[in-house]
Every structure is written in C-alpha cells, then in structure tokens.
Amino acid sequence: MLREDYVINITGRQFYEEDSGEVTLSTTGTYTVKDKASFIAYKEYDEDDPRVSHTAVLKVEPGKVTMMRGGSATRLILEEGRRHLCMYDTGFGPLTLGVFTSELSTELGRDGGYMVIKYTLDVDSNLSSQNELRVEVSPLAPPPL
C-alpha cells in the first residue's frame, strides 16, 4: 500500500487547430528520489466506476520523463528534443502514438517541486495535438494537533 504523503497537482492543456481544453487533477500520492531519478505515484480512478483505480507512475530522470499506468500497456516516453513511438491504452485496445517533446523543465528536489512538459502527439505521423503538462508535488501538511 502506498503511503500517500504528498499533494500532487496536475494541469494538462491540449491544443488542436481551433480547439483547446484543460484538465486538472489534485490528489495525494507518493514522491520518492532514488539515485538520479524521482518517482511520482498516484491513483487514477475510472470515470464509470470510481471503485476501480490504477496506479500512475511518473519516472523523472534528467531530460526524460516516463509515464506508466498500472494494469495497462500505457507507457509514454517524453525526452526533450526526441520523438518516441509509445503505447497508449485507450481502454478499447492499445494505440501507437508518436510523442515529440519540445520542452522539459524540472525543478524537483528532496521535498518535491514541479515540472513542465510541452509535447506533440501524432498518429501515423499526422499531428493529433499540441500538449502542455504541469505537475506540482509538495509534502502533505501534517494534521493540526
């Protein structure tokens, strides 16, 4: 069982042609630092059945973030200045996406911090969307005495 002792705020923005959208998530989870990598883990709940959850993990290394979701084939690699072909589980089956990361900045230390990632997604080399992801991690305030 994960000890959820950090607040994790995630803001995702998506831009495509004339449309744009924003999704925000504020949850609790874990944050650990091992060697040169940081790990942010939290639970994502199914929209149709909130009793069902999967653990999402962000592995943050210098210049690279790997996003993984437990119980699925989803594994997105975001590496600044590079395009990767990645698996994304749609819930109806896996889809191969091209992911190009144009900007990745992280300010993560022992007690948390933030990261900002700008990237594009493509399907069959056709632009699907431009995206921006901001993740903030901070220790959960202890309960008042």
Side-chain angles (χ1 to χ4, degrees), residues 44-135:
E44 292 181 335
Y45 291 90
D46 188 293
E47 290 180 17
D48 297 326
D49 186 353
R51 295 172 294 178
V52 176
S53 69
H54 298 283
T55 300
V57 177
L58 304 175
K59 179 182 180 184
V60 184
E61 301 170 278
K64 180 179 174 182
V65 174
T66 304
M67 302 170 131
M68 300 164 278
R69 182 177 298 137
S72 79
T74 296
R75 184 180 187 95
L76 298 180
I77 300 170
L78 300 136
E79 186 173 7
E80 189 167 26
R82 295 209 45 206
R83 179 178 180 266
H84 289 273
L85 290 176
C86 301
M87 295 299 292
Y88 182 79
D89 190 345
T90 64
F92 299 102
L95 176 68
T96 301
L97 295 174
V99 182
F100 175 76
T101 306
S102 59
E103 182 181 320
L104 191 153
S105 60
T106 61
E107 289 293 329
L108 292 169
R110 290 271 169 213
D111 293 323
Y114 71 93
M115 67 179 168
V116 176
I117 307 168
K118 293 182 180 179
Y119 61 98
T120 59
L121 296 177
D122 65 80
V123 179
D124 294 331
S125 298
N126 294 312
L127 181 65
S128 174
S129 63
Q130 295 178 325
N131 304 275
E132 183 177 319
L133 183 69
R134 181 176 178 90
V135 180

Side-chain angles (χ1 to χ4, degrees), residues 14-21 128 130:
Q14 185 176 45
F15 310 94
Y16 180 72
E17 293 180 358
E18 304 296 320
D19 294 328
S20 65
S128 174
Q130 295 178 325

Side-chain angles (χ1 to χ4, degrees), residues 4-15:
E4 298 178 338
D5 52 357
Y6 279 80
V7 174
I8 301 166
N9 292 307
I10 301 171
T11 303
R13 293 184 181 93
Q14 185 176 45
F15 310 94

